[in-house]
Amino acid sequence: MFKSKTNMKLFPIYKMFSWDLLFYYSISFLFLTQVKNFSAGEVVSADSFYIFFKMFVQFICIILIDKLGKKNCLIAGNILVALSVYIIIIANSFSHILISFFVMALGYSFKELCESSLLYNSIPTCEKKRNIFARIDAKGSSLWYIADGLTSIIAGFSYVINPFLPMYFCIGCSIISAIICFNFDDDNNVSDSNSNLDTDNEYSIIGIKEYIKDIRYSFKFIFKSRRLRALLIFSVLFYSILNISSTLRSSLLVDLNVPAQYFGIIAAIYQTIASISSRKQEWFHNHFRNKMLAFFSMSMCLLFISAGIVGLIGNSSSIFIILILYSIHYICKGPYHTLMDKYLNSFSTKEISSKIFSARSLLISIFSTIILQIASFILDHFSTSSSLIILGLTFFVAFILVLQYMKTRVGLKPEEYKKSDIEYVKVK
């Protein structure tokens, strides 16, 4: 119990440093193009390879997590992320950037598969376990948004002094994250009263072939469950619109001649909005209930279409209106990740939770790669404003279909679900 409380206490601090790269994103494009002399096309290509790499490291990550434990893999993940940033610093060819992104993909795959399930399994079983998880996770998200806002401003100023400074600051945050992980208790080392074997011994007995078979059955359950299938479809679609939204925002602001020095300040303001929004995740859940995911998705589609129309008009007030409209992105983004993790963890057990997040990561990698290529094609043939409208309308139709599909599969009372939707039976 004491060790579980330690995990719960440390997790928000850990997430503040580790959820995503601090100091990095506000200056990464400038660093790669101005300091390392890569073209904008090479930067976009490298981003595509990062998603591609993540798609192929999932399987080995699941094996290592179950064999080595979440704590050890979290430590390794954060060290790998730090190493990937260092490789970018010393890179002098495009192949070095690809190596860096492969290492980063491996590190973040470990982190994404372990973080939520480690926290959830650390919370004692009780009626309000899901709410406790959401509050702790949301606190960590909120702290990260504040940290990201502050570090974005610092990164901009320090980049002017020395472009390598923010990159080393970024490495420092990943090292701090790894140090915090040493203080976590690994839930994989705790015996499960419902099991005859602990996790560490089980796979050494059944062997690697049986373990691969076990993973196959786990994924079979995940995709057989109508509830999980619906949530995963929505999750990959919403991740894609969030992913392309940030890129289109930067492109639109460049088209409207917003000075580069304001980008860090704009990012800091948006992250503050996301921080406040993430702390209100319980309010969003209680207020919208089963319509919350519909609210988020329709709001993002409205943002795309409206920002595109305003961009086409292009008058003196366009920049201000677009900046206001884009606050929708961060209002939705703040609570979304915590609430989606909460929904995916519902009805799950310790042995299946990491595989659920692996399935999501795998599908996101595939889907986002396709979306990125489609969006790139559209941007090559249309202006940013027109692209926003086209993509907004496309996403609108897609979300309408997905939400209709979810209506009879998600948000039901426990007794309304089929057993195959919520009960995992381990098949030997």
Side-chain angles (χ1 to χ4, degrees), residues 106-393:
L106 187 60
Y108 269 106
S109 293
F110 277 130
K111 285 159 56 64
E112 290 169 4
L113 293 175
C114 293
E115 289 168 343
S116 292
S117 58
L118 184 142
L119 172 61
Y120 193 79
N121 294 333
S122 298
I123 301 171
T125 302
C126 62
E127 185 179 347
K128 296 184 177 180
K129 181 171 182 174
R130 292 172 60 195
N131 292 332
I132 294 171
F133 166 84
R135 283 198 299 269
I136 296 172
D137 192 61
K139 183 179 179 181
S141 301
S142 178
L143 290 173
W144 181 87
Y145 284 122
I146 294 173
D148 188 51
L150 292 173
T151 56
S152 294
I153 297 174
I154 296 172
F157 286 107
S158 61
Y159 182 86
V160 175
I161 299 171
N162 185 328
F164 290 91
L165 279 177
M167 302 295 284
Y168 282 113
F169 291 156
C170 178
I171 291 175
C173 290
S174 292
I175 292 174
I176 291 172
S177 300
I179 293 172
I180 294 174
C181 288
F182 279 100
N183 297 290
F184 281 136
D185 173 59
D186 193 345
D187 64 313
N188 281 7
N189 293 330
V190 179
S191 295
D192 188 342
S193 60
N194 296 322
S195 177
N196 294 325
L197 295 170
D198 63 37
T199 307
D200 288 337
N201 293 331
E202 181 176 357
Y203 294 111
S204 63
I205 296 174
I206 64 176
I208 189 65
K209 290 184 178 180
E210 287 297 317
Y211 178 63
I212 293 173
K213 183 178 179 181
D214 177 54
I215 291 177
R216 182 167 59 87
Y217 280 122
S218 298
F219 271 86
K220 185 177 180 180
F221 159 74
I222 290 168
F223 292 112
K224 184 178 179 181
S225 167
R226 300 187 312 157
R227 175 184 171 277
L228 281 176
R229 190 166 63 239
L231 284 173
L232 289 171
I233 292 172
F234 182 92
S235 183
V236 295
L237 190 61
F238 197 78
Y239 177 92
S240 298
I241 195 172
L242 285 178
N243 190 34
I244 195 62
S245 177
S246 297
T247 303
L248 289 176
R249 182 201 72 203
S250 298
S251 180
L252 187 59
L253 292 179
V254 169
D255 289 350
L256 295 172
N257 299 315
V258 175
Q261 60 265 32
Y262 293 122
F263 275 60
I265 298 173
I266 291 170
I269 293 172
Y270 282 145
Q271 296 298 49
T272 301
I273 293 173
S275 173
I276 295 171
S277 179
S278 68
R279 286 185 175 270
K280 298 293 182 181
Q281 54 82 24
E282 194 167 347
W283 179 88
F284 278 97
H285 175 72
N286 293 333
H287 186 76
F288 291 101
R289 292 291 178 181
N290 294 347
K291 299 187 182 299
M292 191 205 68
L293 295 180
F295 170 77
F296 284 166
S297 56
M298 292 298 102
S299 295
M300 287 299 299
C301 292
L302 178 64
L303 160 62
F304 271 47
I305 297 169
S306 301
I309 293 172
V310 174
L312 286 176
I313 296 172
N315 57 30
S316 57
S317 61
S318 293
I319 294 175
F320 177 76
I321 295 172
I322 287 171
L323 290 176
I324 294 296
L325 284 171
Y326 252 94
S327 64
I328 294 173
H329 172 114
Y330 294 89
I331 290 172
C332 295
K333 179 182 176 181
Y336 167 76
H337 292 291
T338 295
L339 289 171
M340 181 54 74
D341 286 354
K342 174 181 174 181
Y343 298 154
L344 289 173
N345 264 319
S346 298
F347 307 110
S348 71
T349 61
K350 184 168 66 175
E351 65 180 336
I352 194 65
S353 62
S354 65
K355 297 172 181 66
I356 291 174
F357 288 102
S358 177
R360 180 179 65 172
S361 296
L362 180 63
L363 291 174
I364 282 175
S365 296
I366 297 171
F367 196 80
S368 293
T369 302
I370 296 171
I371 286 293
L372 187 62
Q373 294 301 321
I374 293 174
S376 177
F377 176 82
I378 293 173
L379 281 166
D380 283 340
H381 293 81
F382 298 93
S383 67
T384 305
S385 297
S386 298
S387 299
L388 276 164
I389 296 172
I390 294 170
L391 289 169
L393 291 172

Side-chain angles (χ1 to χ4, degrees), residues 21 24 75-91 96-108 111 167-168 170-176 178:
L21 293 174
Y24 179 78
I75 295 170
N78 285 287
I79 292 174
L80 287 169
V81 170
L83 177 62
S84 70
V85 178
Y86 180 72
I87 295 173
I88 293 175
I89 291 175
I90 63 174
H96 292 162
I97 296 298
L98 295 185
I99 293 171
S100 167
F101 278 33
F102 176 82
V103 175
M104 187 179 293
L106 187 60
Y108 269 106
K111 285 159 56 64
M167 302 295 284
Y168 282 113
C170 178
I171 291 175
C173 290
S174 292
I175 292 174
I176 291 172

